[in-house]
Amino acid sequence: MYIGFDYGTANCSVASMQDGQPSLIPLEGEHFYIPSTLCAPTRESVSEHLFRHRNISPIDAVGEQVLRRSIAFNREESIELEADDVAFGQAALDLYLEDPRDIYYVKSPKSFLGASGLHDVQVSFFEDLVCAMMANIKSKAELHTEQTIKEAVIGRPVNFHGRGGDEANKQAEKILLNAAKRAGFNDVVFQFEPVAAGLEYESTLTENKTVLVVDIGGGTTDCSIIEMGPKWRGQSERNSSLLAHTGQRVGGNDLDIHLAFRQLMSPFGFGSKMTTGIEMPITQYWNPIAINNVEAQKDFYSKANLSALKLLHKEASEPDKLARLLTVYNETLGYSIVRRAEEAKIALSSDTNYRTTIDLLKEKIGVDISQQQMIDAIAQPKSKMAELVKEAVRQSGTKPDVIFMTGGSARSPFLRSAVEEILPNIPVVSGNYFGSVTSGLARWAEICFK
């Protein structure tokens, strides 16, 4: 059996072809979309879980080293790992929100895969993370379909990481490929996510059109200009129909992070001063919420930074606010703050004002955010997304007949209006914001594997 597999930054989903049409497969109860999250007793538990409870071994010497260290660490901590100690999706998020102190939690590992400067051990660990999530999804899909799934077309962004170029893309794709193979997929094909979304839209066309696909996902924004329609439908070779691709690691997560930074970090001392009159260092407020940046998270939660935070607390003109920032450090609350920002962003797409509450365990902080404040906060990532649209049009040398917008963040009326300003008087359409990529991947899987 073959599937289309959208291993997304925010959510994952899979689909098979049924009677000529893509059909999404439930992965979490009756839900088709499972959040791209994982939690475990310790970071080291992920590698041991694969080996002990999934019967998935490392594929090289570095992986074996990571596994040995993981098992040794858990033994030293007296952790006897049970099969259900590693949780995925909504269950992982619920465990994190319930008690962020005592678990290892990761959201959107796809954001890290193209990061520059990763050591072999880090790459191997990310492969384990992705493999664990893929193996969980594969087993859920097989349980529902009662079939063994051996082939998959997996979606990938045009560019995984903005600064790493082609090497970053190769690194990320290799991690995905190794993880998928270890999870049990015998044959794996990659397809650009905006192309996949376009294939789903193409199924509705009765005449040939030039289509601009704008896919704004959780981690990346990708644009493709593609010739589509009855002339191309079902063809396995269509390179000449692909007129332009642009992509960058800027997506819904970045909107959430920028909103959190501008509107939710003041209670923690952002913008306040030390007794000397010097403003608090900006990085201490950016790094804890930069959940898609490996180095930022590593720097903030390092032991050296704890000493720096304690010193800032002593020298702060508003020490109570710095005490809260120390709580963020001690309780690993960065993800929780970004989650509140995401909820505010969604609400402010239609409401003019929104009040969120940040739970610091011993204290709850209410923050009011206006729609205009949200618009101002996301201006930088929105501008980057707009530039990708402009560059795709420039590369193609043509204007599209229609714009197809997909991805969870494409629901934002502010992002939609930004695209309309660049290309006025061109119709903007959308389908299933979350499922178009998955459905298109299943259509391509039928062409590849049937």
Side-chain angles (χ1 to χ4, degrees), residues 5 80 113 155 271 274 286 450:
F5 192 151
E80 293 294 332
L113 305 186
M274 292 181 254
W286 178 261
K450 189 171 181 179

Side-chain angles (χ1 to χ4, degrees), residues 4 8 22 33 35 40 52 63 65 91 110 117-118 172 208-209 234 250 280 291 330 342 346 363 384-385 411 416 446:
Y33 308 101
R52 193 172 301 284
Q65 176 188 347
K110 184 179 177 182
L118 295 181
N208 297 324
K209 291 181 181 292
V250 56
M280 290 290 167
I291 59 172
N330 290 322
E342 180 186 15
I346 293 170
E363 178 187 15
K384 289 182 178 180
M385 295 172 183
R411 295 174 299 168
R416 190 184 185 99
E446 184 173 52

Side-chain angles (χ1 to χ4, degrees), residues 322-342:
L322 268 295
R324 291 172 178 158
L325 190 60
L326 277 165
T327 300
V328 172
Y329 177 98
N330 290 322
E331 310 297 342
T332 322
L333 295 177
Y335 283 107
S336 181
I337 294 171
V338 175
R339 174 74 171 174
R340 301 288 83 78
E342 180 186 15

